[in-house]
Amino acid sequence: MWATELRGTGNDALVEVERARPEPAAGQLLVRVKAASINYRDLALIRGDYGSGHQFPLIPLSDGAGEVVSVGEGVTRYKAGDRVIFAMRPLWQNGVPTRKAITTSLGMTLDGVLAEYKVADEAHVVRTPAHLTDEQAASLPIAAVTAWSALVIGGGLRAGQTVVVQGTGGVALFALQFAKHLGARTILLSSSDEKLERGRALGADHLINYWRTPEWGVQVVELTGGEGAEHVLDIGGQTTIEQSLEAVRPSGNIYLVGFLGGSKLEIDLTRVFRRAVSMRGLSVGSIATFEEMNAAIEAWHLEPVIDRVFERNQLGAALNYMGTGAQFGKIALRV
Amino acid sequence: MWATELRGTGNDALVEVERARPEPAAGQLLVRVKAASINYRDLALIRGDYGSGHQFPLIPLSDGAGEVVSVGEGVTRYKAGDRVIFAMRPLWQNGVPTRKAITTSLGMTLDGVLAEYKVADEAHVVRTPAHLTDEQAASLPIAAVTAWSALVIGGGLRAGQTVVVQGTGGVALFALQFAKHLGARTILLSSSDEKLERGRALGADHLINYWRTPEWGVQVVELTGGEGAEHVLDIGGQTTIEQSLEAVRPSGNIYLVGFLGGSKLEIDLTRVFRRAVSMRGLSVGSIATFEEMNAAIEAWHLEPVIDRVFERNQLGAALNYMGTGAQFGKIALRV
Amino acid sequence: MWATELRGTGNDALVEVERARPEPAAGQLLVRVKAASINYRDLALIRGDYGSGHQFPLIPLSDGAGEVVSVGEGVTRYKAGDRVIFAMRPLWQNGVPTRKAITTSLGMTLDGVLAEYKVADEAHVVRTPAHLTDEQAASLPIAAVTAWSALVIGGGLRAGQTVVVQGTGGVALFALQFAKHLGARTILLSSSDEKLERGRALGADHLINYWRTPEWGVQVVELTGGEGAEHVLDIGGQTTIEQSLEAVRPSGNIYLVGFLGGSKLEIDLTRVFRRAVSMRGLSVGSIATFEEMNAAIEAWHLEPVIDRVFERNQLGAALNYMGTGAQFGKIALRV
Amino acid sequence: MWATELRGTGNDALVEVERARPEPAAGQLLVRVKAASINYRDLALIRGDYGSGHQFPLIPLSDGAGEVVSVGEGVTRYKAGDRVIFAMRPLWQNGVPTRKAITTSLGMTLDGVLAEYKVADEAHVVRTPAHLTDEQAASLPIAAVTAWSALVIGGGLRAGQTVVVQGTGGVALFALQFAKHLGARTILLSSSDEKLERGRALGADHLINYWRTPEWGVQVVELTGGEGAEHVLDIGGQTTIEQSLEAVRPSGNIYLVGFLGGSKLEIDLTRVFRRAVSMRGLSVGSIATFEEMNAAIEAWHLEPVIDRVFERNQLGAALNYMGTGAQFGKIALRV
């Protein structure tokens, strides 16, 4: 079978190789990978911006979906022909993770999904919602699970509350769609009027162009009767935290899910106290959370937004495109 | 009656004056103030370090307790002779506060407790637990309610979890005592071996001298089987956050309750993600929380730790003493 | 203005009278009643089956909606022209109710809504979701709030769980619609294939005709992989509890919301233990719950199902029709 | 080694036999049993009152504690010499149980603890709190875990709430002690003034002799300011449910944990509705719950109450004694 190896850092370090097709051991599935999606961590890893100590060669990409080809002894939940998605943190089954479970992930400490076939324990995949394409399915493991973990598991979102969503990347659009389906009011921020209009079609109740309204936190407060939003999904880190702290309601939540503004975050503690705010770092979520979310996606017939689909040998181009920030939703690879 | 007015900033701005004794209106109590306690915000206000826009003259100090002298029409919950404690955020009855409720407090936007008598709505005081002295009662409104809000209301502390407590100030010792009574394991940090030993007598299971063990986060991880503590009460802000992030368990809580290291906090977002940690800013708590906590204090016969009691005309000296950081527990005033 | 008085028991005890139009006091609204809906408690009261001690004459019916005509001094949340719904338990604002709040209700201990005008405190009404007709709005106070309190507030329904709904009355159809929108799987029971098909159009995933399948609990277990349903809405009391106990998942919830089988319920404790089941009695819900639910109804554009609309002078006919059990959804009155 | 077999029903069916001492397989412990405790289910099983379909011979008794003698390959958590307690529902690790996990238990569907040695998976035991005797440790698996599951896991007991405890059996006294330590107010019911006084020493705030006060529900209401208790532990079933429904606060919990009044329970649904009460059937709890509880027992140095210790060959006498209802706390066997 073919597989793509990352042999170090840089786009040139991506090499397609021949490998022996693996066999599923007891309790395992052999999956024909059909689609993958890319995330900023993939870009950072390949650029050499994601810490040190990685073991190369490594099959890259954490997010993938495919079809079961055969099953090992004792497998009960899946059979050949079933469509499945890989969980990117295979050791985090449910509840609170261990340190090991939160630092073990596909495409980073374990081989990822950019290969023709992949074996996985049956407990380390989830079933693909029936109405999704493989590309849509492959868009879920990081972006959608992070949004669900933030709003539903961590923040306990209730109908009638307000959710502020920054930007129109993968996590952001899933948060927007989930919040809308759960009965929340949504405020979408973007620098592009065209993207804002596309967001309206996905359920955004209020649109703010943050180029024209740099003090958007004040506008959120006005839109919420003077109190602020219960939930603020913060993507920008240093570039957005000040307005996030302005926009949030007392005892509200700011979900820290991105660092477009760099990995350093400087905050004014007096503002954190004055809001009694919880700033929640997110690190994807458990397999049980993934399954709960999939049930909702299936019940709602929710359509993940795929901005563009690249071919599998275009990973470098796909990463470069993601680096421009032009996308609306997720970027997928056809495998 | 006598009252102490703060007429601006600086210890010299504290002036004792004569005022007319107030009368309780309908639904109000007239309370003879018996004791007060001091907090860093009082020190900051008097030093001019607590923002601008304060209305002077202002009766200082938020935390006080006393005895009901007479009651206004329609009062049903209290009668003359009852002992009560003032709630420092009188507009925060329960649940989630409004912006107004979280910024309205005694001794800051409203007159405080450093006077012979004070009127208060009957809904804005709580009953003094029977076994407490007035000085102990006056130690509760900020320090104890903050510790309870953090561990019990926000963090949902469960028996068997581990709580790291930094230092031996008011909030810290209440957190230590509450955690112990609730069945948690406690790790106390101090720079003083003598204070650590006193903490052991209050229920600290493990003691760490952070002068000798500056990498105390690593030691917390060792003491917790390699996973870290579910709850870390962070008092030092910038001076402690790095070790707090090391010490915390994945999906754990860091409670931001102090800024001994200044109001600026710079953090590394990648470490926040890697722990999926919630950093919770605290701003005292509701009156309902105060009452729930008092029920526990009474059931446990918990003894708040009063380091020293000053006379009411020694407020300047008391604040200077607090500024040295030498205390173990709360500093009270006899009124 | 006109008003309908209930002067005792029996349909003949309903008399239309002239009354002086009330004036809104401070904090109150004068509302022109536009629609009402009926519930079994109305039928039981008029038939004399709802205990003793009622004060007659009484304006009947708890559930009503209308339009604000004028407002008293100090009213801030509503103005003339606003559409509102009356809360049937006006003293239950939020959280846990007092005994008084849970036994005080419109149309029972307080005058109800079957009159041309009605005054209400502004805190005792909620805003009508914009997309609802007045008849739909009047269908919410008991049936919809009970369903929301059961599944969302009490049972903490999560996406991916299974909800069993018995019958196609008001509470049942709201529970079905809410469960579907919240991402749950739904199993609907009815004795009528035609009603089951109408239920499918509202979101029922599985249909069981309990005439043909009296052991429907066993079928629920099969449909849920051998474990049973997390949530069972029990309408029939004695006639259904045995199958409800069969159908429920260990640690699941049976919501007791009806007594079509009479007010006596006999259960086998060993079966309750074997399921570790919570049997939750419901008694409508708080005004805060009503508002949260309305936010969801508005976000989802949920359409309450009105079976039939009677004219206001046809209350007796409407009650008789409800007594037949033929309806699908709620029965409304145009006022 | 010796083992006691139950070969059918009746005290005569208990036979002591010789069996081969088992060997621990990989992941297992070999435990020298030191103590056991008895529960009503043991009495019912031996009397033939606990359903049909049991497989005999069966080693009886679910509750036991002992010392690890040797460990199988791969065991990491325990070593020879460690003291452990068997979990009576070994398949219920945490969270919500499956049907199989809730019906699989030691001494009923699996061999119990009345033998010289017993092997167990290391995941199916918990560590004995250091300050407990083996007899005290053996008193925990059913009675204490049931009380903790009821009040803490199911009911979310908060400081300041009121707990009504019926009787002075094992579950009752654990509930009393837990409630007291968690900061609740406790009301103890018994027919014996002497037992009530012993309950006072364990932390009962109010004592009611239900022989002299058959309408004790009314007295609970008076003791709670007219509202009733948030938590009522119901032991008597039919003989107590009516007063339990009177005593409970609206939206409160009645824990159904016993059936001293027989397995049939007849209730008046209108009273369930009027209280909006949750009636929770209990079926012990998970191993994670057991461990959380043990952490609290250790932190509090809580002393389980052992009424009497019998020798292992006196099981019949011990069961007869339990049948009299004379005990105060748990009945243990020295093994």
Side-chain angles (χ1 to χ4, degrees), chain B residues 3-264:
Chain B
T4 297
E5 289 182 354
L6 181 66
R7 295 184 168 174
T9 58
N11 279 1
D12 295 346
L14 288 165
V15 183
E16 188 165 317
V17 299
E18 281 288 313
R19 283 200 182 184
R21 185 170 130 174
E23 289 298 319
Q28 289 190 322
L29 316 173
L30 177 67
V31 179
R32 171 75 175 86
V33 181
K34 293 295 195 70
S37 82
I38 61 174
N39 293 282
Y40 281 105
R41 69 202 294 269
D42 303 315
L43 184 61
L45 175 68
I46 292 171
R47 283 186 177 168
D49 292 342
Y50 205 85
S52 57
H54 301 285
Q55 301 279 340
F56 298 112
L58 177 76
I59 296 180
L61 302 192
S62 58
D63 287 16
E67 188 181 308
V68 176
V69 174
S70 64
V71 303
E73 195 186 353
V75 165
T76 59
R77 299 173 62 192
Y78 301 101
K79 62 181 193 306
D82 285 351
R83 296 168 68 220
V84 296
I85 313 171
F86 301 102
M88 69 83 73
R89 294 213 188 289
L91 303 186
W92 188 358
Q93 282 292 331
N94 54 52
V96 167
T98 61
R99 290 197 170 203
K100 186 171 180 193
I102 212 169
T103 51
T104 301
S105 64
L106 303 190
M108 195 62 68
T109 56
L110 302 172
D111 270 338
V113 303
L114 195 52
E116 195 172 354
Y117 295 95
K118 181 169 177 60
V119 291
D121 288 3
E122 70 168 328
H124 298 166
V125 303
V126 300
R127 197 175 294 278
T128 300
H131 70 291
L132 298 189
T133 65
D134 289 322
E135 285 76 21
Q136 288 176 319
S139 75
L140 303 179
I142 286 187
V145 175
T146 296
W148 192 268
S149 290
L151 294 174
V152 179
I153 308 296
L157 176 66
R158 316 282 309 203
Q161 295 182 328
T162 300
V163 179
V164 174
V165 171
Q166 298 175 1
T168 56
V171 181
L173 291 190
F174 280 117
L176 177 67
Q177 291 177 292
F178 293 156
K180 192 65 196 169
H181 277 285
L182 291 164
R185 202 152 60 113
T186 52
I187 300 175
L188 181 65
L189 303 179
S190 173
S191 60
S192 153
D193 287 343
E194 183 246 335
K195 286 183 177 177
L196 287 172
E197 281 307 318
R198 293 172 71 185
R200 188 196 299 277
L202 287 173
D205 295 306
H206 303 281
L207 309 175
I208 303 178
N209 185 314
Y210 62 80
W211 278 126
R212 285 203 302 277
T213 311
E215 303 262 310
W216 53 264
V218 177
Q219 194 170 341
V220 169
V221 174
E222 282 165 16
L223 287 169
T224 51
E227 290 297 339
E230 286 86 355
H231 308 271
V232 179
L233 197 84
D234 187 285
I235 309 285
Q238 192 63 63
T239 57
T240 47
I241 190 69
E242 198 173 336
Q243 288 301 306
S244 292
L245 281 164
E246 179 59 33
V248 75
R249 200 199 144 92
S251 293
N253 297 284
I254 296 176
Y255 307 99
L256 302 170
V257 296
F259 45 107
L260 295 185
S263 67
K264 286 290 173 204

Side-chain angles (χ1 to χ4, degrees), chain A residues 234 237-238 241 245 254 256 258-259 261-269 272 278-281, chain B residues 234 236-246 254 256 263-273 277-280:
Chain A
D234 187 285
Q238 192 64 62
I241 190 68
L245 280 164
I254 296 177
L256 302 170
F259 46 108
S263 68
K264 286 289 173 204
L265 183 70
E266 186 184 289
I267 53 179
D268 179 347
L269 276 171
V272 174
S278 290
M279 296 181 297
R280 298 169 177 271
Chain B
D234 187 285
Q238 192 63 63
T239 57
T240 47
I241 190 69
E242 198 173 336
Q243 288 301 306
S244 292
L245 281 164
E246 179 59 33
I254 296 176
L256 302 170
S263 67
K264 286 290 173 204
L265 182 71
E266 186 184 289
I267 53 180
D268 179 347
L269 276 171
T270 59
R271 303 196 64 193
V272 175
F273 298 155
V277 71
S278 290
M279 296 181 296
R280 298 169 177 271

Side-chain angles (χ1 to χ4, degrees), chain A residues 232-246:
Chain A
V232 178
L233 197 84
D234 187 285
I235 309 285
Q238 192 64 62
T239 57
T240 47
I241 190 68
E242 198 174 335
Q243 289 300 307
S244 292
L245 280 164
E246 179 59 32

Side-chain angles (χ1 to χ4, degrees), chain D residues 39-105:
Chain D
N39 294 281
Y40 282 104
R41 70 202 293 269
D42 303 315
L43 183 60
L45 176 68
I46 292 171
R47 284 184 175 169
D49 293 342
Y50 205 86
S52 57
H54 302 284
Q55 301 279 340
F56 300 110
L58 177 76
I59 297 180
L61 302 190
S62 57
D63 287 15
E67 187 181 308
V68 175
V69 174
S70 63
V71 304
E73 194 186 355
V75 165
T76 60
R77 298 173 62 192
Y78 301 100
K79 61 181 191 308
D82 285 351
R83 297 168 67 220
V84 296
I85 313 171
F86 301 102
M88 68 84 73
R89 295 213 187 289
L91 303 186
W92 187 359
Q93 281 292 332
N94 55 51
V96 167
T98 61
R99 290 195 170 206
K100 184 170 181 194
I102 212 169
T103 51
T104 302
S105 64

Side-chain angles (χ1 to χ4, degrees), chain C residues 10-127:
Chain C
N11 279 0
D12 295 346
L14 289 165
V15 183
E16 187 165 316
V17 298
E18 281 288 314
R19 283 200 181 182
R21 184 171 129 173
E23 290 297 321
Q28 289 191 322
L29 315 173
L30 176 67
V31 179
R32 172 74 176 85
V33 182
K34 294 295 194 70
S37 83
I38 60 174
N39 294 280
Y40 282 105
R41 70 202 293 269
D42 303 314
L43 183 62
L45 175 67
I46 292 171
R47 283 185 175 167
D49 292 343
Y50 204 88
S52 57
H54 301 285
Q55 302 279 339
F56 299 111
L58 177 76
I59 296 180
L61 302 191
S62 58
D63 287 16
E67 187 182 308
V68 176
V69 174
S70 63
V71 304
E73 194 186 355
V75 166
T76 59
R77 298 172 63 193
Y78 301 101
K79 61 180 192 309
D82 285 351
R83 297 168 67 219
V84 295
I85 313 172
F86 301 102
M88 69 83 72
R89 295 214 187 288
L91 302 187
W92 188 357
Q93 281 292 333
N94 54 52
V96 168
T98 61
R99 290 196 170 205
K100 185 170 180 195
I102 213 169
T103 52
T104 302
S105 65
L106 303 190
M108 195 63 69
T109 57
L110 303 171
D111 271 337
V113 304
L114 196 53
E116 194 172 353
Y117 295 95
K118 180 169 177 60
V119 291
D121 289 2
E122 70 168 329
H124 297 167
V125 303
V126 300
R127 197 175 294 277

